[in-house]
Amino acid sequence: MDFGLTEEQRMVQEMARDFAEKEIGPYVEEDEENHYYRREILSKMGKLGLLGWSIPEEYGGNGMGWMEAVTALYEIAKVHTSWRLSISGNVWGPAMTINEWGTKEQKQTYIPRLVSGDSVGSFAMTEANTGSDVASMKTLAEDKGDHWLINGSKMWISGGHTCDIGLLYAVTEKGAGAKGISCFIIDYNKTPGVTRIPILKKVGMWPAPTSELVFENAMIPKENLLGPLNKGFQICMWMLNNTRMGCATGSAALSAACLEGSVQYANERTQFGKQIGKYQMIQQQIAEMKLEDEAAKYLVYRAAWLKENKLPSQQATSMAKLYGSIAAVHAANIAMKIYGSYGYSTEYPCGRWLRDAKQFETLEGTSNIHMQIISKIELGYQPNR
């Protein structure tokens, strides 16, 4: 496999890097301090085509695929990892899933709004007592003839209180476990009975909105069922195999940010009359970061290449997501050491890197879950889809 970038991919890389440095970079510290989400950045992404990956051009897609997508997201997440959620929340979550499972009318209605950035997207499956065990969810969707009646709650939903359009996973057949879950498209601006509560007490990812959703006799039109009835678990797993690429790419990019920052600091900081980068222990730490950073990046490229070529990619995606988490957390820890006392100061980004790195071990499948996926596929206990 040759992961060298084509001329077109290099242009995408440069455009995304330029966008991140000019539109996101100047506000990173301000938005961190104020826990502020700049919706206008999403709209600007849409106008540049940065939300149209792997979406047909007839629905507003940019005509490019997975390799271009991860290349662009990598540059954005390297500047501020919180913004990688917008691409997953709009494109690799709702837009791609509606494109795969939706009716023509659903595609025409929702996908263009998501890829243009005119609407903010989300997907809701996690509940207070339902994380890795998706099939144990309790939120109930009852068939009332001309509509679905939704009751229950969702927790830790990225973009839950800022989004316009979302995918909602709910039980449609009690007691059936994974075979009794369905997926729905929900327009939050037109759905009474939904209370959206911001979750403000988080360790990191402060400018990325996170929410609790409470459904109390919320009514969804019958035509908003996405895909076949009771096939929501299958749809959810298909979706996660795409959105996990956002986690994998974001973690690899955060690892790279830690490495770049540490190299710069090691060449600027002097102790005992010379740059600290001249000392063997610092060199060892930089070498460790470089090895893990390159491995994480190429695992992302490999998974993207498999997806691009429509080959089984579940194991590769889990490998990229798992190892990216390891690399990001380790790199953030080492960066904190290299920066010394200044690493513990909010004057430098080390604290943000460390806070943001830890979420990759949990989001969209814990590290333990990805260990299971990788090993079960390798042992032949489950197919590599």
Side-chain angles (χ1 to χ4, degrees), residues 15 43-53 60-62 64 115:
M15 177 186 68
S43 299
K44 291 177 180 179
M45 284 185 185
K47 287 181 174 62
L48 283 176
L50 291 169
L51 301 175
W53 314 111
N62 58 24
M64 301 182 195
V115 300

Side-chain angles (χ1 to χ4, degrees), residues 118-130:
D118 291 338
S119 292
V120 178
S122 72
F123 49 92
M125 55 191 177
T126 303
E127 298 179 1
N129 294 309
T130 300

Side-chain angles (χ1 to χ4, degrees), residues 96-377:
M96 283 188 69
T97 309
I98 293 170
N99 184 61
E100 179 72 14
W101 299 91
T103 64
K104 188 171 185 62
E105 184 179 357
Q106 288 172 338
K107 295 176 186 180
Q108 291 173 337
T109 300
Y110 297 107
I111 295 177
R113 293 162 56 184
L114 290 163
V115 300
S116 68
D118 291 338
S119 292
V120 178
S122 72
F123 49 92
M125 55 191 177
T126 303
E127 298 179 1
N129 294 309
T130 300
S132 299
D133 184 11
V134 175
S136 69
M137 68 175 59
K138 303 299 182 187
T139 297
L140 181 64
E142 297 178 271
D143 187 346
K144 294 298 182 180
D146 62 343
H147 66 272
W148 296 95
L149 192 67
I150 313 295
N151 282 284
S153 62
K154 297 293 181 180
M155 196 71 173
W156 299 111
I157 306 306
S158 297
H161 64 278
T162 56
C163 71
D164 304 294
I165 300 167
L167 299 185
L168 172 67
Y169 294 90
V171 174
T172 43
E173 186 175 333
K174 289 183 179 179
K179 296 181 179 180
I181 295 171
S182 296
C183 182
F184 301 89
I185 305 170
I186 179 169
D187 187 332
Y188 285 98
N189 299 321
K190 298 179 180 179
T191 308
V194 184
T195 302
R196 303 196 275 174
I197 307 165
I199 297 174
L200 302 177
K201 295 182 178 180
K202 300 187 297 181
V203 170
M205 302 289 287
W206 290 338
T210 307
S211 322
E212 177 184 2
L213 307 177
V214 179
F215 300 88
E216 298 174 293
N217 292 327
M219 294 179 8
I220 298 179
K222 287 298 289 290
E223 61 267 23
N224 282 32
L225 174 70
L226 181 65
L229 182 67
N230 294 330
K231 291 295 184 182
F233 184 83
Q234 180 182 347
I235 294 171
C236 184
M237 294 301 107
W238 184 92
M239 179 195 74
L240 285 174
N241 195 39
N242 295 322
T243 59
R244 283 167 175 166
M245 283 299 295
C247 289
T249 308
S251 58
L254 183 54
S255 169
C258 295
L259 173 60
E260 289 182 8
S262 296
V263 167
Q264 180 179 344
Y265 189 80
N267 281 323
E268 293 174 353
R269 174 74 168 168
T270 59
Q271 287 288 280
F272 302 103
K274 61 181 179 181
Q275 298 161 320
I276 62 171
K278 301 288 187 180
Y279 291 101
Q280 187 174 4
M281 287 300 296
I282 299 295
Q283 292 174 358
Q284 179 181 336
Q285 291 171 325
I286 294 294
E288 288 176 10
M289 295 171 78
K290 179 63 175 176
L291 284 168
E292 293 181 357
D293 177 63
E294 286 290 309
K297 181 170 62 177
Y298 281 99
L299 283 170
V300 168
Y301 284 161
R302 177 174 177 268
W305 184 89
L306 290 170
K307 289 179 182 295
E308 190 87 356
N309 288 278
K310 302 188 185 307
L311 296 170
S313 62
Q314 186 182 23
Q315 188 186 53
T317 301
S318 282
M319 288 169 65
K321 199 271 185 183
L322 175 62
Y323 194 77
S325 303
I326 294 169
V329 172
H330 191 208
N333 270 317
I334 292 179
M336 186 75 78
K337 295 178 184 178
I338 290 175
Y339 278 72
S341 296
Y342 287 104
Y344 208 67
S345 165
T346 55
E347 183 181 349
Y348 291 90
C350 300
R352 169 168 60 85
W353 291 337
L354 188 57
R355 291 192 307 272
D356 288 352
K358 291 299 291 183
Q359 53 94 24
F360 287 113
E361 297 177 323
T362 303
L363 276 181
E364 299 190 37
T366 64
S367 292
N368 288 346
I369 288 295
H370 288 286
M371 286 280 193
Q372 286 187 344
I373 293 170
I374 294 164
S375 61
K376 285 182 178 179
I377 291 173

